[in-house]
Amino acid sequence: MVAVTETVAGDVGSADVVQALRSALRGVVDDSTRRRAEYSTDASNYRVVPQVVAFPRDTDDVLAALAVTRELGVPLTARGGGTSVAGNAVGTGVVLDFSRHVNRILDIDPDARTARVEPGVVMASLQKAAAPHGLRFGPDPSTQARATLGGMIGNNACGPRAVAYGRTADNVLALDVVDGTGRRFEARSGAGALDVVPGLDALVRAHLDVVRTELGRFGRQVSGYSLEHLLPEKGTDLAKALVGTEGTVATLLGATVRLVPIAAAPVLVVLGYPDMPTAADAVPALLAHAPLAIEGMDSRLVDVVRRVRGAAAVPPLPAGGGWLMVEVGGDSLDEAMDRARALAADAGTTAVGLFPPGPEAAAMWRIREDGAGLGGRTPSGEQAWPGFEDSAVPPAQLGAYLRELEALMASHGVDGLAYGHFGDGCVHLRLDIPLERSGNPLRAFMTDAAALVASHGGSLSGEHGDGRARSELLPVMYSAQAIDLFGAFKDLLDPHDLLNPGVLVRPRPLDADLRRPWARPLLADGHGFSFAHDAGDLTTALHRCVGVGKCRADSTTTGGFMCPSYLATKDEKDSTRGRARVLQEMANGTLVAGGWGSPEVHESLDLCLSCKACSSDCPAGVDMAQYKSEVLHRTYRGKLRPTSHYALGWLPRWARLITGVPGLAALTNAVLGVRPVAKVVLASGGMDTRRQMVTFARQPFRAWVRGEGRDAVTLTGRDGGDVRASERPGHQFQGRPGKGTGGSAGRRPRVVLWTDSFSDTLSPSVAQAAVAVLTDAGYEVLVPQGNACCGLTWISTGQLDGAKKQLTHLLGVLGPFAVNGIPIVGLEPSCTAVLRSDLLDLLPDDPRAVAVARETRTLAELLTAPAPIGPGDRWQVPDLSDVTAVVQPHCHHYSVMTWTADRRLLTDAGAQFSALAGCCGLAGNFGMEKGHYDVSVAVAENALLPALRDAAPGDVYLADGFSCRTQADQLAGVQGIHLAELLAAHLPGRVGAPGGQGVGV
């Protein structure tokens, strides 16, 4: 097989292609630079910029687009969720995105156990639709929440449960397709099935020896064309043969697929072994028990989860350096447990864990589902790349293969975290091959690895397809006769090589079109973020995005928050991945050529809410909020900024001024309460006139503590005072005794109540309530007299010089407490998150930053912490058994601190509550800014507004975030309360929740 240059559109210019498509299609045809940047790559290493991206509205649009490309001789690449790992979904000509509109489930027949679908249907949507009938589609790749059926059919996707249910090809009954000549036909099986493609039957008969001896040798032999399905003894099944052809011979219009019964009570068995090869050795014996899935997972992958998400994210596991996750089913839980025990007895290990259906089993599967992203970094923190991420060998060969693969990796000096479908002999492995400068190391390793796979009778691809990553290496696996047969098959259906050229037949070199070597460094400038976790290079940070596309999935049902803007618009532009791709093109500089100020970049980032959900939900650790802030910083540093940056970015400054002059807050509120005046102020400040202005506190918290609150707290000096001194006389423990403590007196532990700008000037009742709760819990509450703003609004508007000044001042105020181990309690989640995350990246060389980040806690974290930091047994949380609440966790709270402590506290207090997943939509300055209102409301409609409408009268709306309370107030007329206020209202002798209102009122 000869690697050739990319097929291009002859003498036809892009403008002609775009004009012809716009004349023929009802759907959007977009040739903008930004859109082409978004679709220039998938989840692979490759960058191929298309001429145009089209979004067909229906099958007729698809047919029209195909006709245009045939007439003009333009290459066409079909695309679904864009999660292809081998470069299967990128091309130089027209990219057709089926996921936007051509995504209907046409029919589900429960009796026949079949479904008819369009290619853009997301796998999870089919599962949801089939579930009420007790059915599901068997193959379930880890990307099923965003992968489409068209992509799964194109790559012959499998997933963990292919052990029980087979590959996608084994579950396809018929396909509605159009080949490269324009023939539309239904691909089926049986006598005469090959007649729809003239010459195909003769081709198969002329090569029976090659097909029977080289193809279909084991289940995961996905590389090349699966022409074994065309054999008479295989049922002459053209539909199955077209599965896995990666869009190179036909374009899919619809599919009829087989459904299988849902397992009644699956039990997960986790088996520990010394290492991954030893775990693989055990697979053949386990297959005899007919499991639903056998997955392998390197213990170092789990270590990554513990490091990134905390130890609580991983259930207790049996000892081992590698694990097998084996799922068994049964008609009842008892039967499944019996089968699990029998399987464990044959596992060759005593390190066994049994997980019946429940949160722990779900947590283990989430770790496995995030493998592609989690494996994107090695244990040492190096970027790991796909390319050789999908090899497969017969399961009996797997242990020996892994041992030789580890030796090969060592010889090339590369590392990676292995996981995968060990029951099928399929290994997923991303490697830290140095791609920053050239593709030579990739070629060297891939060439040797291909020979290793072939020596074990394996396949270069076990389910992802060959794409641009592996097609060039097919001659290592197959004879020259088989390679020629693949070419002849392609030529029968796509003689002009217009369908996804460069893949499988006449392939591009595997080291051509690589994305990373052409990306220029974007080094930290010393004024913005340091990007310490990415070697001080924003480009390295941007390439954390490997395209797995979890940001395109609706994960709210499982508690995820990412990505609110995409869920609102369903546009790739508004996904974390889409933004990362445009920023990567900025780093490349050839397509997006305007640098930091490129309009494509700012258009892409415009609807980013800076919610930071991607920083926790994206398995690759992308933090788009940070990248957006850095871009704004580099764009506007030393220049005139948008007016909203001054109006909202300096809000703490304006609020301190207004609340610092007696009577000015009341006057300001009265003036801004006049709607015409407020609209003028909003418009002049770059805000949407449908919004309302905030209400400034008539008495800020700092004034309260100097007046009637002075006896409730201990005021310290502006620099923290002498925090090492002993307790003040008389400050003995006064907290309510917990059960069994006897209420013995003792020294009162000290805690710093950090009142951020919002809690001080806009919502002082929150800080006052916190004083009451902390005092009741037995703490001496220290309040620094000096202002300590975290610079949050400066960060969100990219004014990083100003943010660093604010934070440096804050360290002067809070640093003395932190370095002496005194806990700091933050009340506003977004501000608390700054001290826990952005502070360290903005001031990495200041040791006080480490101390402040370490000592800063949320109120719930403090109250649930073990003694002596937390109150422990000496205090009992107020009884909240009379409370039913709708809870909106703040995005930054969820992403940086996690909401675990709050959930525990509310549960221990007896409250009945439903915690929403997803952003409220205001997100600080985002929802206030002009041009964002509609998306802000749409985001709120994802979870918040429906929950408030469904709440019963008297239910409490609990939201620690000032933004979350403001959004509910402005869009639903519901007043929310902070956790501190809820707890304070239920302390002995107090009645009524301050500032709150029943949701249903």
Side-chain angles (χ1 to χ4, degrees):
M1 181 178 294
V2 179
V4 297
T5 57
E6 193 78 74
T7 301
V8 293
D11 297 328
V12 180
S14 295
D16 297 325
V17 177
V18 171
Q19 181 179 358
L21 286 171
R22 285 177 177 161
S23 298
L25 273 65
R26 292 184 298 111
V28 172
V29 176
D30 194 340
D31 66 334
S32 67
T33 301
R34 193 212 73 239
R35 183 68 79 189
R36 293 164 63 217
E38 293 159 5
Y39 283 75
S40 64
T41 188
D42 43 20
S44 71
N45 298 329
Y46 298 95
R47 171 188 180 267
V48 180
V49 180
Q51 287 181 300
V52 61
V53 180
F55 301 87
R57 296 200 65 85
D58 51 27
T59 297
D60 288 341
D61 262 6
V62 176
L63 293 171
L66 291 170
V68 168
T69 56
R70 286 196 305 273
E71 180 181 352
L72 298 180
V74 178
L76 181 139
T77 299
R79 180 168 169 136
T83 56
S84 300
V85 185
N88 328 59
V90 291
T92 59
V94 177
V95 171
L96 281 189
D97 185 336
F98 285 79
S99 67
R100 192 77 179 270
H101 303 297
V102 192
N103 54 16
R104 295 178 301 163
I105 299 173
L106 301 173
D107 176 64
I108 291 180
D109 187 335
D111 297 326
R113 293 182 178 175
T114 62
R116 289 192 304 114
V117 298
E118 292 183 327
V121 170
V122 171
M123 181 70 258
S125 299
L126 176 60
Q127 304 291 44
K128 183 178 180 180
H133 305 290
L135 300 171
R136 55 163 288 166
F137 187 67
D140 54 351
S142 61
T143 57
Q144 63 175 306
R146 59 271 191 196
T148 64
L149 263 296
M152 290 177 61
I153 290 169
N155 294 347
N156 200 4
C158 302
R161 294 172 182 86
V163 169
Y165 304 126
R167 305 160 299 176
T168 294
D170 302 313
N171 293 273
V172 164
L173 301 176
L175 299 178
D176 181 5
V177 300
V178 179
D179 70 9
T181 70
R183 288 181 298 235
R184 181 178 181 179
F185 57 86
E186 184 176 62
R188 286 188 170 275
S189 61
L194 307 188
D195 294 346
V196 293
V197 181
L200 181 54
D201 183 64
L203 180 68
V204 173
R205 292 185 181 279
H207 295 84
L208 289 175
D209 56 338
V210 174
V211 177
R212 284 174 172 150
T213 58
E214 295 196 43
L215 304 181
R217 292 176 288 102
F218 73 106
R220 285 299 185 101
Q221 186 181 346
V222 168
S223 282
Y225 291 134
S226 298
L227 302 182
E228 72 274 9
H229 295 294
L230 302 180
L231 292 169
E233 62 267 30
K234 298 286 188 178
T236 316
D237 198 328
L238 180 57
K240 287 180 172 54
L242 291 178
V243 176
T245 54
E246 304 180 36
T248 61
V249 296
T251 300
L252 182 67
L253 302 177
T256 302
V257 298
R258 179 170 65 96
L259 303 177
V260 298
I262 297 174
V267 171
L268 180 64
V269 186
V270 179
L271 306 168
Y273 299 90
D275 50 42
M276 295 300 287
T278 306
D281 290 337
V283 167
L286 301 180
L287 287 171
H289 291 265
L292 299 176
I294 303 180
E295 296 294 290
M297 188 161 56
D298 193 316
S299 65
R300 297 180 299 165
L301 192 68
V302 177
D303 291 339
V304 173
V305 178
R306 291 193 181 103
R307 184 172 68 247
V308 174
R309 299 178 182 171
V314 180
L317 296 175
W323 291 290
L324 293 179
M325 295 170 51
V326 187
E327 187 176 77
V328 295
D331 293 333
S332 67
L333 181 58
D334 288 341
E335 180 184 346
M337 289 295 289
D338 289 342
R339 295 187 63 193
R341 295 186 187 98
L343 180 143
D346 287 345
T349 179
T350 57
V352 178
L354 299 181
F355 298 89
E360 291 187 330
M364 289 303 300
W365 281 115
R366 277 195 297 273
I367 294 171
R368 170 59 191 87
E369 288 170 1
D370 285 344
L374 295 171
R377 292 274 165 148
T378 65
S380 63
E382 296 297 321
Q383 179 78 54
W385 305 99
F388 193 71
E389 86 297 331
D390 189 38
S391 60
V393 298
Q397 297 288 321
L398 185 58
Y401 168 65
L402 286 178
R403 291 181 179 91
E404 293 185 44
L405 178 58
E406 289 180 353
L408 179 65
M409 290 163 56
S411 70
H412 282 264
V414 298
D415 191 14
L417 303 175
Y419 63 99
H421 314 301
F422 278 26
D424 285 321
C426 183
V427 181
H428 294 327
L429 178 67
R430 291 170 182 254
L431 299 169
D432 59 348
I433 295 173
L435 290 180
E436 290 79 5
R437 295 185 179 179
S438 80
N440 293 338
L442 178 66
R443 172 170 290 280
F445 180 84
M446 291 287 291
T447 301
D448 289 347
L452 174 62
V453 172
S455 72
H456 285 272
S459 176
L460 296 171
S461 171
E463 65 175 331
H464 294 164
D466 296 305
R468 292 163 183 266
R470 294 176 282 271
S471 293
E472 184 191 351
L473 298 173
L474 288 176
V476 179
M477 262 186 74
Y478 293 112
S479 68
Q481 292 82 2
I483 296 299
D484 290 341
L485 174 60
F486 292 160
F489 178 69
K490 161 86 168 175
D491 290 343
L492 280 178
L493 288 104
D494 182 33
H496 302 295
D497 201 14
L498 295 180
L499 297 181
N500 211 15
V503 172
L504 288 171
V505 173
R506 294 177 288 276
R508 289 283 285 165
L510 66 87
D511 51 357
D513 310 313
L514 292 172
R515 179 178 68 253
R516 187 61 180 91
W518 300 100
R520 302 166 301 172
L522 298 172
L523 302 179
D525 67 353
H527 300 281
F529 287 102
S530 65
F531 299 104
H533 294 297
D534 295 288
D537 185 2
L538 175 59
T539 293
T540 301
L542 295 173
H543 282 84
R544 281 180 175 269
C545 179
V546 293
V548 295
K550 190 176 180 180
C551 49
R552 285 173 53 105
D554 184 353
S555 60
T556 55
T557 57
T558 56
F561 277 53
M562 179 178 69
C563 171
S565 56
Y566 178 78
L567 293 180
T569 69
K570 300 298 184 182
D571 191 330
E572 178 77 10
K573 171 180 76 73
D574 301 317
S575 69
T576 306
R577 181 180 70 180
R579 296 181 178 111
R581 295 316 191 205
V582 174
L583 290 171
Q584 288 169 2
E585 286 297 327
M586 180 190 75
N588 178 286
T590 56
L591 181 64
V592 177
W596 302 103
S598 298
E600 300 91 347
V601 169
H602 289 267
E603 184 179 1
S604 182
L605 293 174
D606 180 51
L607 294 184
C608 172
L609 283 77
S610 296
C611 68
K612 295 185 83 72
C614 51
S615 68
S616 61
D617 285 357
C618 173
V622 172
D623 187 350
M624 192 54 61
Q626 186 184 72
Y627 308 161
K628 178 179 180 178
S629 179
E630 182 73 15
V631 168
L632 293 174
H633 159 68
R634 300 282 191 111
T635 301
Y636 293 112
R637 187 168 188 261
K639 301 176 184 177
L640 189 67
R641 289 174 166 269
T643 55
S644 64
H645 288 197
Y646 302 110
L648 296 171
W650 293 3
L651 180 60
R653 182 174 293 168
W654 309 132
R656 285 197 303 273
L657 289 172
I658 291 171
T659 59
V661 178
L664 183 56
L667 176 61
T668 302
N669 293 335
V671 171
L672 294 178
V674 179
R675 193 59 188 156
V677 175
K679 285 187 174 182
V680 171
V681 173
L682 288 164
S684 62
M687 292 171 274
D688 194 291
T689 57
R690 289 169 286 186
R691 285 292 182 185
Q692 301 170 33
M693 290 296 294
V694 296
T695 300
F696 298 98
R698 295 191 176 192
Q699 183 188 44
F701 179 76
R702 66 182 182 275
W704 179 80
V705 297
R706 295 190 186 98
E708 58 264 40
R710 61 183 178 274
D711 293 331
V713 304
T714 300
L715 282 171
T716 69
R718 293 182 180 275
D719 61 352
D722 187 3
V723 299
R724 295 165 296 177
S726 300
E727 306 282 357
R728 291 192 306 161
H731 275 244
Q732 302 295 309
F733 172 66
Q734 299 292 326
R736 290 182 295 112
K739 295 179 180 179
T741 66
S744 59
R747 291 288 185 185
R748 300 180 71 188
R750 291 177 293 178
V751 64
V752 175
L753 180 62
W754 170 48
T755 49
D756 55 86
S757 299
F758 296 95
S759 302
D760 180 22
T761 62
L762 299 176
S763 192
S765 62
V766 171
Q768 294 169 23
V771 170
V773 172
L774 292 171
T775 301
D776 186 74
Y779 291 97
E780 178 187 359
V781 182
L782 309 181
V783 176
Q785 293 191 58
N787 169 66
C789 178
C790 68
L792 168 70
T793 55
W794 279 265
I795 294 172
S796 62
T797 53
Q799 302 180 74
L800 298 183
D801 287 302
K804 294 175 82 166
K805 290 178 182 177
Q806 297 286 342
L807 285 169
T808 299
H809 176 73
L810 176 142
L811 291 180
V813 175
L814 298 182
F817 299 104
V819 297
N820 283 281
I822 299 177
I824 300 166
V825 173
L827 299 174
E828 174 59 37
S830 52
C831 296
T832 307
V834 169
L835 302 196
R836 292 271 285 267
S837 60
D838 289 339
L839 169 63
L840 296 169
D841 213 322
L842 286 168
L843 300 176
D845 299 322
D846 193 324
R848 298 173 300 173
V850 176
V852 168
R854 181 186 65 238
E855 296 300 334
T856 298
R857 294 168 172 82
T858 67
L859 179 63
E861 285 179 329
L862 180 78
L863 295 178
T864 59
I869 300 300
D873 293 338
R874 69 173 184 251
W875 181 72
Q876 184 175 354
V877 63
D879 181 10
L880 301 181
S881 59
D882 63 338
V883 172
T884 301
V886 174
V887 186
Q888 173 67 69
H890 191 285
C891 296
H892 292 189
H893 193 155
Y894 163 84
S895 302
V896 177
M897 288 85 72
T898 81
W899 201 70
T900 304
D902 298 72
R903 185 182 298 277
R904 175 185 168 189
L905 188 147
L906 289 171
T907 301
D908 291 348
Q912 300 295 316
F913 62 93
S914 59
L916 306 181
C919 183
C920 74
L922 188 61
N925 58 290
F926 173 84
M928 295 292 294
E929 290 174 334
K930 183 178 179 180
H932 294 168
Y933 181 83
D934 292 334
V935 170
S936 176
V937 173
V939 171
E941 285 289 357
N942 286 336
L944 175 60
L945 293 180
L948 295 181
R949 287 193 291 265
D950 293 342
D955 286 359
V956 172
Y957 173 51
L958 182 62
D960 284 4
F962 180 79
S963 290
C964 305
R965 299 194 298 274
T966 300
Q967 182 80 320
D969 181 20
Q970 294 195 6
L971 298 185
V974 172
Q975 301 292 317
I977 61 172
H978 190 284
L979 176 64
E981 296 176 298
L982 180 65
L983 294 175
H986 287 77
L987 294 175
R990 301 191 105 185
V991 180
Q997 168 186 321
V999 170
V1001 175

